[in-house]
């Protein structure tokens, strides 16, 4: 009988899925203090801990020439009160084993639940009795300026800055990004005024999660946060950003880039907590999630990249769609073609049953997993209140997800995806990719931006050089500026030692060169050799002794090293098959510099920049990245750059010249390849 029952099952048909269960989401309790502070309490006794999240829900502020103001204000919020210094706050936090972080729109803190009263006392003191200190303000501003300087060499950071500007525009707070100029416009008084105006209880939410009981914790909340004075907080409204009438193509030129950061994007009017948002999440998971069409196309099928993804983000004001990837320069246009193809495909063609089932299960699983965290319950409570959602929105989330059909997804894609009205942004080497990506602009126009989002005409970026001035003259002036041919030709060997700090570790780079063309470079730290590179005039090897790895250099790497090994190569470019051409005058960090194109015997191009006044070299750009030279020091009648800043692959390394030794009769054994 069991066999007969088994044989009656039709295995040619997929089993029908069971209906989604109604979720039993953890309970939360609410209260509102007389000053308007909304309180949410989630009791969870699994661990003897408590977390506190205080959210300031003021409207986004258009900060204009003081962009970065709210970020700095949030950063220095924890640096002192009228009753405690920063040191006292830090000591008290450490004593109870707590953690507290502050930001532009929130304060987050946690501790053992037995220390909850002390935690409330400290946090309430920070928000009620904040006292901003000039020294901490200057420190925070300095840190932000340093971060900005590093971001200038990060394709991701540049792409993010420009994406915001293109999607939302400069007159919307979402389109703003701080610059060195806007940060320097901010004063301590500005921070104090912002804090007094916007950080008020009547627009704020306090979520408490942990091993607490409402009847125990609410009196403490009233005791410490009830003194926080309410006040009217300004409201702001902005014109809703629109998709462009036709696709625009923009580029940020990174002359040393070997790959392009590609983004296709546009604003989307998608509100949180709507049925459309549920469908959009599932639709985007198929298009650009972790196991998606974009990933399969650009990585698995074409091998353009390590990853390609998209996001479709709802927002109370205005959401956005973005699809992005980082690809080799040579396939930049092909990658854009495939991104647009996949966006159009999900609009025009229904997804498969297999895809919707797979991604529905993944989305449901991710949602269910999030419910294991008590903080999720608090987050749900805040969202319901902030976005005026149905009280059972999250309770019925899986049912909503289960009810989404293939037709729903296609209609959702047609409603929100606008590939014919998109912004296409490429951060990469314009010389190699600009002409190829013109075809995506209906008018054939490419918009050029610098890394701060300022538009410019590439045809006017270079000013013409004075009539009659040649690259040879510029080069000769440089040689005279650093010591003159007479002194330079006397150099038969040279030893230079540079140092830099990386993650707090002192790194030394020793470079040895011997005429006519031998070189040895050693990088070390703490008495250990991290890497070596040796060129004996014929062969070259690179090694990592600690890993036991050795590699013989060939092809372009070897050809580049051959030229690099020649001492003062600029003395005779022509003899070494190098061609030079003066392109014009360009602004480099506020000063004018002659731009000279350097073409190697293999045809590779690099660019050197020479200050028009001092004639010294201030920048070099090539395949290995960008190097900036400054603080020249004279040693035995020859000038060497005392500081070299190298930007490569999104990293900035600052080298300082420690010593130079000339004509020490270096032993040939130093350049021997074993």
């Amino acid at each position: 009988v069991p066999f007969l029952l088994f044989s009656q099952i039709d295995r040619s048909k997929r089993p029908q899925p069971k209906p989604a269960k109604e979720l039993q989401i953890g309970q939360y309790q609410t209260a509102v203090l007389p000053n308007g502070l909304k309180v949410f309490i989630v009791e969870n006794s699994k661990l003897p801990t408590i977390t506190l999240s205080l959210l300031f829900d003021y409207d986004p502020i258009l900060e204009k020439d003081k962009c970065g103001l709210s970020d700095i204000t949030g950063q220095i919020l924890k640096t002192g009160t009228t009753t405690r210094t920063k040191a006292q706050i830090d000591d008290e936090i450490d004593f109870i084993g707590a953690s507290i972080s502050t930001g532009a729109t929130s304060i987050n803190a946690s501790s053992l639940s037995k220390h909850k009263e002390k935690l409330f006392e400290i946090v309430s003191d920070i928000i009620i009795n904040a006292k901003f200190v000039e020294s901490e303000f200057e420190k925070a501003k300095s840190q932000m300026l340093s971060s900005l300087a590093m971001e200038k060499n990060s394709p991701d950071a540049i792409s993010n800055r420009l994406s915001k500007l293109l999607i939302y525009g400069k007159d919307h707070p979402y389109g703003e990004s701080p610059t060195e100029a806007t940060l320097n416009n901010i004063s301590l008084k500005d921070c104090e005024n912002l804090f007094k105006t916007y950080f008020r209880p009547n627009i704020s939410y306090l979520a408490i999660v942990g091993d607490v009981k409402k009847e125990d914790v609410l009196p403490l909340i009233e005791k410490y946060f009830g003194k926080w004075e309410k006040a009217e907080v300004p409201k702001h409204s902005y014109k809703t950003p629109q998709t462009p009438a036709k696709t625009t193509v923009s580029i940020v030129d990174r002359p040393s880039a070997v790959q392009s950061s590609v983004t296709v994007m546009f604003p989307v009017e998608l509100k949180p907590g709507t049925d459309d948002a549920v469908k959009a999440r599932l639709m985007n998971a198929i298009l650009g999630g972790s196991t998606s069409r974009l990933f399969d196309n650009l990585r698995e099928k074409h091998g353009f990249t390590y990853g390609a993804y998209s996001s479709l983000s709802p927002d109370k004001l205005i959401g956005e769609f973005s699809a992005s990837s980082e690809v080799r320069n040579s396939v930049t246009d092909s990658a854009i073609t495939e991104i647009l193809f996949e966006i159009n495909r999900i609009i025009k063609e229904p997804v498969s049953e297999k895809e919707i089932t797979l991604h529905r299960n993944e989305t449901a699983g991710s949602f269910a997993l999030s419910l294991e965290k008590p903080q999720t319950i608090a987050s749900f409570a805040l969202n319901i209140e902030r976005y005026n959602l149905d009280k059972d929105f999250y309770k019925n989330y899986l049912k909503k997800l289960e009810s989404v059909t293939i037709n729903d997804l296609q209609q959702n894609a047609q409603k929100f995806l606008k590939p014919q009205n998109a912004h296409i942004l490429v951060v990469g080497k314009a010389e190699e990719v600009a002409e190829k990506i013109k075809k995506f602009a209906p008018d054939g126009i490419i918009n050029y931006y610098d890394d701060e989002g300022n538009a410019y005409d590439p045809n006017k970026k270079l000013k013409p050089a004075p009539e009659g001035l040649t690259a040879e003259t510029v080069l000769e002036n440089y040689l005279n500026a650093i010591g003159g041919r007479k002194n330079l030709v006397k150099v038969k060997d040279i030893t230079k030692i540079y140092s830099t700090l990386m993650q707090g570790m002192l790194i030394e780079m020793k470079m040895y060169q011997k005429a006519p063309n031998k070189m040895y470079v050693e990088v070390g730290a703490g008495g250990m050799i991290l890497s070596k590179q040796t060129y004996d005039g014929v062969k070259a090897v690179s090694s990592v002794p600690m890993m036991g790895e050795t590699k013989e250099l060939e092809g372009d790497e070897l050809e580049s090293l051959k030229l690099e090994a020649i001492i003062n190569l600029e003395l005779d470019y022509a003899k070494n098959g190098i061609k030079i051409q003066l392109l014009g005058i360009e602004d480099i960090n506020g000063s004018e510099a002659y731009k000279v194109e350097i073409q190697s015997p293999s045809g590779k191009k690099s660019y050197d920049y020479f200050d028009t006044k001092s004639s010294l070299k201030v920048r070099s750009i090539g395949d290995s990245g960008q190097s900036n030279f400054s603080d020249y020091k004279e040693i035995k009648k020859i000038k060497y750059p005392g500081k070299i800043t190298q930007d490569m692959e999104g990293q900035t390394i600052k080298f300082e010249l420690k010593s130079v030794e000339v004509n020490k009769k270096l032993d040939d054994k130093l350049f021997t390849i074993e």
Side-chain angles (χ1 to χ4, degrees), residues 303-530:
F304 291 159
T305 180
Y306 287 111
Y309 307 96
S310 69
S311 63
L312 183 51
S313 308
D315 186 85
K316 191 175 183 178
L317 294 186
I318 181 71
E320 68 173 81
F321 170 82
S322 174
S324 60
S325 186
E326 291 192 356
V327 300
R328 304 186 308 279
N329 288 345
S330 59
V331 297
T332 300
D333 58 326
S334 300
I336 295 172
T337 297
E338 295 306 324
I339 290 173
L340 293 173
F341 168 77
E342 291 298 351
I343 296 172
N344 280 299
R345 183 160 76 102
I346 205 166
I347 292 172
K348 296 175 181 177
E349 300 175 7
V351 302
S352 68
E353 185 67 43
K354 180 180 179 181
E355 284 178 305
I356 193 172
T357 300
L358 171 65
H359 288 280
R360 183 191 283 124
N361 290 342
E362 284 185 351
T363 304
S366 176
F367 180 81
L369 193 63
S370 73
L371 298 180
E372 296 180 5
K373 301 177 182 178
Q375 287 82 0
T376 300
I377 312 304
S379 176
F380 287 171
L382 291 177
N383 289 345
I384 288 171
E385 181 70 26
R386 292 179 68 198
Y387 304 127
N388 196 29
L389 305 184
D390 183 279
K391 298 295 182 184
D392 291 330
F393 176 80
Y394 292 104
K395 186 177 181 181
N396 296 323
Y397 185 82
L398 291 185
K399 287 183 177 180
K400 291 177 181 290
L401 191 64
E402 188 66 38
S403 68
V404 177
T405 66
I406 290 175
N407 188 52
D408 288 336
L409 289 191
Q410 188 171 11
Q411 289 179 351
N412 194 266
Q414 292 167 349
K415 182 176 181 179
F416 295 112
L417 301 184
K418 308 293 180 184
Q420 279 73 43
N421 308 93
H423 296 286
I424 297 175
L425 172 65
V426 173
V427 179
K429 190 173 184 177
E431 183 180 13
E432 293 188 11
V433 305
E435 284 299 318
K436 294 180 180 179
I437 63 176
K438 273 186 178 179
K439 61 188 175 185
F440 300 109
D443 53 11
I445 295 174
I446 294 181
N447 304 308
Y448 281 74
Y449 293 90
D450 64 19
D451 52 22
E452 287 192 347
N454 301 305
Y456 69 90
D457 183 344
N459 298 315
K460 297 179 180 178
K461 187 177 182 181
L462 275 178
K463 291 169 55 179
E467 189 174 348
L469 187 67
T470 65
E472 286 75 14
T473 304
V474 171
L475 194 63
E476 198 63 34
N477 290 340
Y478 162 67
L479 293 173
N480 288 332
I482 63 173
R485 285 182 175 271
K486 183 179 178 180
N487 291 316
L488 293 169
V489 296
K490 293 178 182 178
V491 179
K492 301 304 178 184
D493 67 60
I494 186 169
T495 302
K496 291 181 281 189
I497 300 178
Y498 299 89
S499 67
T500 186
L501 279 174
M502 294 183 67
Q503 298 180 345
M505 181 184 295
L506 181 66
I507 307 290
E508 275 199 344
M509 180 174 71
K510 299 177 181 179
M511 178 180 290
Y512 305 87
Q513 290 174 277
K514 184 174 182 178
N517 59 347
K518 295 181 179 181
M519 185 169 72
Y520 172 70
V521 180
E522 178 183 296
V523 178
M528 295 185 296
I529 298 176
L530 304 177

Side-chain angles (χ1 to χ4, degrees), residues 290 292-309 325-328 335 338:
S290 57
S292 65
R293 291 181 172 188
L294 285 175
F295 188 90
D296 288 345
N297 184 324
L298 273 75
R299 172 172 170 156
E300 301 300 329
K301 182 179 179 181
H302 288 100
F304 291 159
T305 180
Y306 287 111
Y309 307 96
S325 186
E326 291 192 356
V327 300
R328 304 186 308 279
E338 295 306 324

Side-chain angles (χ1 to χ4, degrees), residues 73-79 100-108 126:
T73 303
Q75 191 172 333
I76 63 174
L77 189 55
K78 197 181 71 169
T79 58
I100 298 179
S101 62
T102 63
T105 58
S106 65
I107 297 178
N108 295 288
I126 288 172

Side-chain angles (χ1 to χ4, degrees), residues 600-624:
S600 70
S602 65
K604 279 201 169 187
K605 294 179 181 179
S606 59
Y607 303 91
D608 283 349
Y609 297 79
F610 302 89
D611 187 87
T612 57
K613 293 180 179 178
S614 69
S615 295
L616 295 172
K617 186 188 295 185
V618 292
R619 176 175 292 177
S620 287
I621 295 176
D623 286 346
S624 60

Side-chain angles (χ1 to χ4, degrees), residues 497-638:
I497 300 178
Y498 299 89
S499 67
T500 186
L501 279 174
M502 294 183 67
Q503 298 180 345
M505 181 184 295
L506 181 66
I507 307 290
E508 275 199 344
M509 180 174 71
K510 299 177 181 179
M511 178 180 290
Y512 305 87
Q513 290 174 277
K514 184 174 182 178
N517 59 347
K518 295 181 179 181
M519 185 169 72
Y520 172 70
V521 180
E522 178 183 296
V523 178
M528 295 185 296
I529 298 176
L530 304 177
S531 66
K532 297 191 300 184
Q533 196 172 62
T534 309
Y535 177 59
D536 64 5
V538 179
K539 290 174 57 180
V541 296
S542 178
S543 63
V544 182
M546 293 178 65
M547 304 293 291
E549 296 176 357
T550 299
K551 171 189 173 185
E552 184 172 347
L553 303 184
E554 299 175 334
D556 289 342
E557 287 182 312
L558 179 59
E559 292 304 311
S560 295
L561 200 60
K562 282 181 180 179
L563 297 176
E564 189 180 341
I566 299 173
I567 299 174
N568 296 317
L569 176 64
E570 294 92 346
L571 284 170
D572 203 341
Y573 271 160
K575 179 181 176 182
N576 291 286
I578 297 172
K579 299 176 183 178
I580 58 176
Q581 180 183 357
L582 177 59
L583 301 181
I585 298 174
E586 189 172 323
D587 181 270
I588 302 293
N589 299 327
S591 299
E592 290 188 334
Y594 295 118
K595 182 178 182 179
V596 177
E597 179 184 278
I598 317 291
Q599 184 174 325
S600 70
S602 65
K604 279 201 169 187
K605 294 179 181 179
S606 59
Y607 303 91
D608 283 349
Y609 297 79
F610 302 89
D611 187 87
T612 57
K613 293 180 179 178
S614 69
S615 295
L616 295 172
K617 186 188 295 185
V618 292
R619 176 175 292 177
S620 287
I621 295 176
D623 286 346
S624 60
Q626 175 177 295
S627 297
N628 295 306
F629 310 99
S630 61
D631 193 25
Y632 276 77
K633 301 180 184 299
E634 185 173 314
I635 300 170
K636 292 189 176 181
K637 298 182 180 181
I638 298 175

